[in-house]
Amino acid sequence: MGKIDGSKYIVASITLNLILIINLCVSGKWKLSWSSQAAIEAETVAAISCSGHGRAFLDGLVLDGKQPICECNSCYQGSDCSNFIPGCAANVDGYVPFLLVQHAASSAVVVAGWHRMSYKFNDHTFISQELERLIRKVHDIVGNAVTDNRFIVFGAGSTQILSAAVYALSADNASSPARVLTSNPYYPLYKMQTELFASVNFEYQGDTSLWKNSSDAGTNMIEFVTSPNNPDGQLNKAVLHGPYAKAIYDRAYYWPHFTPIPAPADEDVMMFTLSKLTGHAGSRFGWAVIKDEAVFQRMTKHIGVTSIGVSRDGQLRALKLLKVVLEREGKEIFEFGYETMKTRWEKLVKALSLSKRFSLQDIEPQFCTFFQKLRQLSPAYAWLKCEREEEKDCYAVHKAANIIGHEGSVFGAEDRYIRLSMIGTQDEYDLLIDRLNKLVSEEVGAKTMRRMQPSCSLLKISKKNFTTCNIEILRQYYLPSYISISIS
Amino acid sequence: MGKIDGSKYIVASITLNLILIINLCVSGKWKLSWSSQAAIEAETVAAISCSGHGRAFLDGLVLDGKQPICECNSCYQGSDCSNFIPGCAANVDGYVPFLLVQHAASSAVVVAGWHRMSYKFNDHTFISQELERLIRKVHDIVGNAVTDNRFIVFGAGSTQILSAAVYALSADNASSPARVLTSNPYYPLYKMQTELFASVNFEYQGDTSLWKNSSDAGTNMIEFVTSPNNPDGQLNKAVLHGPYAKAIYDRAYYWPHFTPIPAPADEDVMMFTLSKLTGHAGSRFGWAVIKDEAVFQRMTKHIGVTSIGVSRDGQLRALKLLKVVLEREGKEIFEFGYETMKTRWEKLVKALSLSKRFSLQDIEPQFCTFFQKLRQLSPAYAWLKCEREEEKDCYAVHKAANIIGHEGSVFGAEDRYIRLSMIGTQDEYDLLIDRLNKLVSEEVGAKTMRRMQPSCSLLKISKKNFTTCNIEILRQYYLPSYISISIS
């Protein structure tokens, strides 16, 4: 009886070992050597719980000498970001991570200590050829820009690119400085940057309309065309034409999650940025697609002399992220992005639907060659107008309601306009909608709100799920505003 | 006989499983989830063999669709960089990895897909507070700069920092543009950048000596002081003084591996860069230490408007690298760096010792407060002079000998000077010394070379080890030059 059939155990033991080993070999973890310390470090920080209202970062402040602290979304506080700050202003300045969380594995990157230490790549440029190849591929599958026989230059976001472009399109020692022009409403950085440089070769001279009929005056005119436009999302086209008119097309938002793509853009100078493609503003990576070699050379010179190219670490990050974008030919990220933005826009429109006090920009729906269908609106920003004659300061009106927008005057428009971001974190967006609902309910009255035709959706409040109709009303009257609600 | 004692197997099996599990748990690899794919990817690329004359990178070109190709050091070629290119010019433009290879684990960093996506850190700046804290700590242990009650600003290398500093020190709408001045020989980027910006507020106006006696002329003068100087390694001091004289101290090379540290630098505006601290030029990360808050604010504005701060990925990389620097209070990296640079300088001096045709700069040895001793020379560059009256073009003289240097005129000096880099890769440096030996042997004759007092060292040629005396002579006369030699 002391004897037992060992063969079973041999089999059992071998099987168990095999399972373990196979499991490890398949997951590949058995291979790791020098990278495992960094990997464990990163996963440990990623595992720090910040209640879904914040995040701990690898380079976050280390106060207790142990691990980085939680960095909370605006309006949340506490060591784990679980405390909502009542009466806190909804200030939308975060970003939607258009790369889904389930891409954690494929979007992560391990940087070796010896990675790209040199100033130059092997081809003596400051540019990763592999990244350039992927950029062309992304434009190709999205169909938003012609890149064949075009030059590509990298910059620290589109921010550095635009100054390089203005430099490249203006002549050295010209008889008179080139006129840098914009069309209201316009992205304010064009003006700020041009004025900061205070160059003898170019000068900010305001709105294109002033120069429409003088485009052959012999002085170069550099027109910024933002398409889709920031703030109002319109697919703008150049206003100025003729031998002295040159356009810089800012195509930052020309992606299927923000706008229909009627056709591939094919302008002489086009700018794009990772921040509006994947949401990675912090990497400071942008690029320009350029037709003319001389312009390309001057832009490359500018970026070389001002920063010796773009951080190779940022380039590696961009490479990794573009690989994720290219999975399933971009279908996944752009569908997710489009659905997210469309839903946000619909909720905004609904929140303002009963209001006569506020109105939103009107954007013409168009056929999108990427989705092969007529697209609904999903702009990155709401360009909101205060309609009441006496309410000339729309920023103040919203500030009083604890909503922080951007004044219209910043964009060269009237202050009866404000820009509200649709690309903030979910917390920021939810709070914005919450506050807008309050504002509108004050205008139209609670009764009217209650009479509203309900729209049904599934609500999740903490772990408790239940179905209800019209979450705005629910949030307005039956829920304390500090409970965050997410729709699924 | 079919029956055996199973208990042994149970024990054996359990033990084996335990060993496996413990092994995994201790190495921590069992923890990894989302980061393992990236880690395996990185280690696979790192494992690609490039014969020690090149490296494969994670973002390298992928030609066969499988793995990135080897990127070879200059003068090497072939799929694994094993082929030396005979007669190839020694062009020193690589960098010494001052972080030892055995720091592979601690210098690696894993970047999660969601890392620092936003434009701003939680304190609404573009700067990692944790990184700023480490920078102050590094200066503190090295004793090369006063950072208490000083402001710190980040830039894309010192390259972006210097243009921000010139902007900050020049006034907007001044009656006359500030004079940007340098002292020969000077780092050429100061002039190139100032001229590229063609600003109405500042202008490059040449050598400080021209303005020495007009420093109270009422026009601001911005003097670049590079200390240690690039190209000649001298610990320069400002030439101009008085109410209108402002200095930007470029302290890029003020680290114990390049120069003695007589005392902590304490100038109003000081610039540093990661590229000359750890050798990571590609990360494009630099910083300035600033006394005056108004200057700090203007520099911050400049970097904000021109690039919205520095890549957060580059900042994370810098953070990781500074942590390695801080190990053992910096002793390890600086001792390694100093020994490497000192040895290189000694070999250079030896190679030129018999020459009357070429001379090197003379730098006064000084007491180093970091090493607590009088230091030997270990400059980043050799500032070589062609002494023969007729040899006015020192660049051409070396070019003919297959050595590519930087012409003296580039630095505002005579072309009878050239700059040779001492901070290239070992391959580049070895080739440089090899070619200089040839050049000198032509001058003094083989006989003299043979009579030279030999210095003994261990040679490694491929796998065969043997001892010899005076490797230069050996390399010169008994070895084909395409065999690469490394000294240990």
Side-chain angles (χ1 to χ4, degrees):
Chain A
M1 296 298 283
K3 301 276 181 197
I4 49 172
D5 182 2
S7 56
K8 285 186 195 146
Y9 294 95
I10 299 171
V11 175
S13 137
I14 291 169
T15 319
L16 180 53
N17 291 327
L18 275 177
I19 289 165
L20 248 170
I21 291 157
I22 288 163
N23 174 308
L24 291 168
C25 295
V26 169
S27 69
K29 287 166 193 166
W30 63 283
K31 284 183 187 168
L32 298 183
S33 66
W34 57 266
S35 70
S36 55
Q37 180 182 328
I40 291 164
E41 203 174 38
E43 292 205 6
T44 309
V45 170
I48 296 170
S49 164
C50 304
S51 313
H53 301 299
R55 201 180 272 290
F57 293 98
L58 210 47
D59 59 354
L61 269 184
V62 181
L63 297 183
D64 60 1
K66 288 191 215 74
Q67 56 182 31
I69 57 167
C70 281
E71 300 182 19
C72 306
N73 297 344
S74 47
C75 296
Y76 287 85
Q77 64 186 9
S79 61
D80 66 349
C81 304
S82 57
N83 309 334
F84 179 83
I85 305 165
C88 161
N91 188 358
V92 187
D93 63 4
Y95 286 86
V96 179
F98 286 120
L99 290 172
L100 302 170
V101 179
Q102 48 262 46
H103 286 288
S106 49
S107 61
V109 60
V110 171
V111 190
W114 54 80
H115 179 75
R116 297 289 179 206
M117 291 179 66
S118 178
Y119 279 108
K120 292 187 176 180
F121 285 86
N122 243 28
D123 60 356
H124 303 292
T125 69
F126 307 131
I127 282 183
S128 157
Q129 291 179 63
E130 185 66 7
L131 178 52
E132 182 180 338
R133 195 177 66 75
L134 287 193
I135 286 172
R136 292 179 191 274
K137 203 167 165 193
V138 168
H139 284 303
D140 200 43
I141 63 150
V142 174
N144 65 336
V146 175
T147 61
D148 294 349
N149 309 313
R150 301 287 182 277
F151 301 94
I152 288 183
V153 61
F154 296 171
S158 49
T159 312
Q160 186 184 24
I161 295 274
L162 64 91
S163 56
V166 169
Y167 165 81
L169 294 177
S170 60
D172 301 334
N173 323 312
S175 54
S176 60
R179 297 183 179 108
V180 178
L181 305 165
T182 54
S183 300
N184 294 346
Y186 65 90
Y187 176 49
L189 197 65
Y190 307 138
K191 177 176 188 253
M192 283 168 64
Q193 213 178 65
T194 308
E195 289 179 341
L196 180 112
F197 284 120
S199 170
V200 297
N201 298 324
F202 51 83
E203 196 171 23
Y204 182 73
Q205 293 191 16
D207 199 85
T208 47
S209 58
L210 305 168
W211 305 96
K212 224 166 179 172
N213 307 321
S214 62
S215 57
D216 53 352
T219 298
N220 280 333
M221 295 189 292
I222 300 167
E223 174 183 4
F224 274 106
V225 184
T226 321
S227 184
N229 193 32
N230 173 0
D232 64 11
Q234 304 298 335
L235 282 171
N236 288 347
K237 288 190 166 42
V239 169
L240 304 173
H241 304 283
Y244 300 104
K246 300 171 179 188
I248 297 170
Y249 271 80
D250 184 341
R251 290 291 191 174
Y253 299 88
Y254 199 53
W255 296 102
H257 42 267
F258 293 130
T259 177
I261 307 293
D266 188 21
E267 293 94 20
D268 292 2
V269 179
M270 302 184 277
M271 303 193 306
F272 295 88
T273 169
L274 191 68
S275 68
K276 302 307 178 297
L277 170 53
T278 66
H280 291 76
S283 291
R284 311 305 311 122
F285 182 80
W287 65 94
V289 180
I290 302 144
K291 266 187 197 167
D292 180 57
E293 182 166 9
V295 172
F296 163 71
Q297 295 298 356
R298 273 177 71 87
M299 285 182 75
T300 303
K301 180 188 172 189
H302 189 274
I303 284 161
V305 172
T306 57
S307 66
I308 314 189
V310 178
S311 170
R312 315 313 179 240
D313 310 314
Q315 291 190 45
L316 176 60
R317 189 93 188 277
L319 182 87
K320 219 29 169 109
L321 295 166
L322 291 193
K323 280 182 182 171
V324 180
V325 169
L326 286 166
E327 286 173 21
R328 296 191 40 235
E329 301 260 281
K331 291 276 174 297
E332 192 168 359
I333 174 178
F334 293 118
E335 268 159 23
F336 169 80
Y338 171 48
E339 285 307 319
T340 309
M341 298 308 298
K342 182 166 71 71
T343 310
R344 286 185 170 196
W345 186 254
E346 285 165 354
K347 282 182 67 183
L348 177 74
V349 169
K350 186 141 156 287
L352 300 176
S353 55
L354 296 181
S355 173
K356 289 184 170 47
R357 187 181 180 188
F358 309 115
S359 68
L360 293 169
Q361 77 261 43
D362 199 11
I363 306 173
E364 197 188 323
Q366 282 190 66
F367 184 81
C368 177
T369 54
F370 179 77
F371 287 123
Q372 284 298 308
K373 65 180 178 188
L374 194 74
R375 270 174 86 280
Q376 300 306 307
L377 298 192
S378 58
Y381 306 104
W383 185 235
L384 188 145
K385 186 181 182 186
C386 284
E387 296 284 355
R388 287 178 184 166
E389 178 52 34
E390 68 276 20
E391 293 185 335
K392 290 184 169 55
D393 187 348
C394 202
Y395 175 84
V397 169
H398 286 75
K399 183 88 170 53
N402 256 338
I403 297 167
I404 309 292
H406 282 75
E407 304 95 320
S409 55
V410 169
F411 305 90
E414 289 176 69
D415 271 334
R416 73 169 54 250
Y417 289 90
I418 58 164
R419 191 193 79 170
L420 298 175
S421 176
M422 295 286 104
I423 51 179
T425 62
Q426 196 60 41
D427 277 343
E428 292 167 336
Y429 177 78
D430 290 341
L431 196 60
L432 172 72
I433 294 296
D434 181 32
R435 298 282 163 79
L436 284 173
N437 283 319
K438 282 204 180 63
L439 203 53
V440 174
S441 70
E442 284 159 20
E443 175 191 348
V444 302
K447 283 210 184 71
T448 328
M449 290 290 282
R450 286 211 188 77
R451 279 203 309 278
M452 274 171 69
Q453 191 47 255
S455 73
C456 292
S457 44
L458 175 68
L459 270 188
K460 284 187 188 147
I461 299 173
S462 63
K463 287 186 182 51
K464 187 153 153 274
N465 289 8
F466 60 89
T467 309
T468 178
C469 290
N470 199 308
I471 34 141
E472 278 72 23
I473 288 177
L474 183 89
R475 192 194 257 116
Q476 198 69 36
Y477 300 99
Y478 310 115
L479 284 179
S481 69
Y482 57 79
I483 292 184
S484 130
I485 300 175
S486 68
I487 319 302
S488 68
Chain B
M1 295 295 282
K3 302 273 180 201
I4 47 171
D5 180 3
S7 55
K8 285 184 196 152
Y9 294 97
I10 299 172
V11 174
S13 135
I14 291 169
T15 318
L16 180 52
N17 290 327
L18 275 177
I19 290 165
L20 248 170
I21 291 156
I22 288 163
N23 175 306
L24 292 167
C25 296
V26 169
S27 68
K29 286 164 192 167
W30 64 282
K31 285 184 187 167
L32 297 184
S33 65
W34 57 266
S35 69
S36 56
Q37 181 182 327
I40 291 163
E41 204 173 38
E43 292 205 6
T44 310
V45 171
I48 296 170
S49 164
C50 303
S51 313
H53 301 300
R55 200 180 272 292
F57 293 98
L58 210 46
D59 59 354
L61 268 184
V62 182
L63 296 183
D64 60 1
K66 287 190 215 77
Q67 57 182 31
I69 58 168
C70 281
E71 300 183 19
C72 306
N73 297 345
S74 46
C75 296
Y76 286 86
Q77 64 186 6
S79 61
D80 66 348
C81 304
S82 57
N83 308 334
F84 179 84
I85 305 165
C88 161
N91 187 358
V92 187
D93 62 3
Y95 287 86
V96 179
F98 286 119
L99 290 172
L100 303 169
V101 178
Q102 48 261 47
H103 287 287
S106 49
S107 61
V109 61
V110 171
V111 190
W114 54 81
H115 179 76
R116 298 289 178 205
M117 291 179 67
S118 178
Y119 279 108
K120 293 187 175 179
F121 285 86
N122 243 30
D123 60 356
H124 302 291
T125 69
F126 308 131
I127 281 183
S128 158
Q129 290 179 63
E130 185 68 6
L131 178 52
E132 182 179 339
R133 195 176 66 76
L134 287 193
I135 287 172
R136 293 178 190 275
K137 204 168 166 192
V138 168
H139 284 303
D140 200 42
I141 62 150
V142 174
N144 65 335
V146 175
T147 62
D148 294 349
N149 308 312
R150 301 288 182 275
F151 301 94
I152 289 182
V153 60
F154 296 170
S158 48
T159 312
Q160 186 183 24
I161 294 273
L162 65 91
S163 56
V166 169
Y167 165 82
L169 295 178
S170 60
D172 301 334
N173 325 311
S175 55
S176 60
R179 296 184 179 109
V180 178
L181 305 165
T182 54
S183 300
N184 295 345
Y186 64 90
Y187 177 47
L189 197 65
Y190 307 138
K191 178 177 187 245
M192 283 168 64
Q193 213 178 66
T194 308
E195 290 179 340
L196 180 112
F197 283 122
S199 170
V200 298
N201 298 326
F202 51 84
E203 197 170 25
Y204 183 74
Q205 292 191 17
D207 199 85
T208 47
S209 58
L210 305 167
W211 306 96
K212 225 166 178 173
N213 307 322
S214 60
S215 57
D216 53 353
T219 297
N220 280 333
M221 296 189 292
I222 301 167
E223 175 183 4
F224 274 106
V225 184
T226 321
S227 185
N229 193 32
N230 174 0
D232 64 10
Q234 304 297 335
L235 282 170
N236 289 346
K237 289 190 164 42
V239 169
L240 304 173
H241 304 283
Y244 300 104
K246 300 171 179 188
I248 298 169
Y249 270 81
D250 184 340
R251 290 290 191 176
Y253 299 89
Y254 199 54
W255 297 102
H257 41 267
F258 292 131
T259 178
I261 308 292
D266 189 21
E267 294 92 19
D268 292 2
V269 178
M270 302 183 278
M271 304 192 307
F272 295 89
T273 169
L274 191 69
S275 67
K276 302 306 179 296
L277 170 54
T278 66
H280 290 76
S283 291
R284 311 305 312 122
F285 181 80
W287 64 95
V289 179
I290 303 144
K291 266 186 197 166
D292 180 57
E293 181 165 10
V295 172
F296 163 72
Q297 294 298 357
R298 273 177 72 86
M299 285 181 76
T300 303
K301 179 188 173 189
H302 188 275
I303 285 161
V305 172
T306 57
S307 66
I308 315 188
V310 178
S311 169
R312 316 311 180 242
D313 310 314
Q315 291 190 43
L316 176 61
R317 190 92 188 278
L319 182 87
K320 219 29 169 116
L321 296 166
L322 291 192
K323 281 182 182 171
V324 179
V325 169
L326 287 164
E327 286 172 21
R328 297 191 41 236
E329 301 261 282
K331 290 277 174 297
E332 192 169 358
I333 173 177
F334 293 117
E335 268 159 22
F336 169 80
Y338 171 48
E339 284 307 318
T340 309
M341 297 309 298
K342 184 167 68 71
T343 309
R344 287 186 169 195
W345 186 253
E346 284 165 355
K347 282 183 67 183
L348 176 74
V349 169
K350 185 143 157 286
L352 300 176
S353 56
L354 296 181
S355 173
K356 290 184 169 44
R357 187 181 180 189
F358 308 116
S359 68
L360 293 169
Q361 77 261 40
D362 198 12
I363 306 173
E364 196 189 323
Q366 283 189 65
F367 184 83
C368 176
T369 53
F370 179 77
F371 287 123
Q372 285 298 309
K373 64 179 179 188
L374 193 74
R375 272 174 85 278
Q376 298 306 307
L377 297 192
S378 59
Y381 306 104
W383 186 234
L384 188 145
K385 185 181 182 186
C386 284
E387 296 285 353
R388 287 180 185 167
E389 179 51 36
E390 67 277 19
E391 291 184 339
K392 291 185 169 54
D393 186 349
C394 201
Y395 174 83
V397 169
H398 286 76
K399 182 90 169 53
N402 256 338
I403 297 167
I404 308 293
H406 282 75
E407 304 95 318
S409 54
V410 169
F411 305 91
E414 289 176 69
D415 271 334
R416 88 171 36 256
Y417 289 91
I418 57 165
R419 190 192 79 171
L420 298 175
S421 175
M422 294 288 104
I423 50 179
T425 61
Q426 196 59 42
D427 277 343
E428 293 166 335
Y429 176 79
D430 290 340
L431 195 61
L432 172 71
I433 294 296
D434 181 31
R435 297 284 164 78
L436 284 173
N437 284 317
K438 281 205 182 63
L439 203 52
V440 174
S441 70
E442 284 159 21
E443 175 192 349
V444 302
K447 283 210 184 69
T448 327
M449 290 290 283
R450 286 213 186 76
R451 278 202 308 278
M452 274 170 69
Q453 190 48 257
S455 73
C456 292
S457 43
L458 174 68
L459 270 188
K460 286 187 188 146
I461 301 172
S462 62
K463 287 185 181 54
K464 189 152 152 275
N465 289 7
F466 58 90
T467 309
T468 179
C469 289
N470 200 308
I471 32 139
E472 279 71 24
I473 288 177
L474 184 91
R475 191 193 258 118
Q476 198 67 38
Y477 299 100
Y478 310 115
L479 286 178
S481 70
Y482 57 80
I483 291 184
S484 129
I485 299 176
S486 68
I487 319 301
S488 67

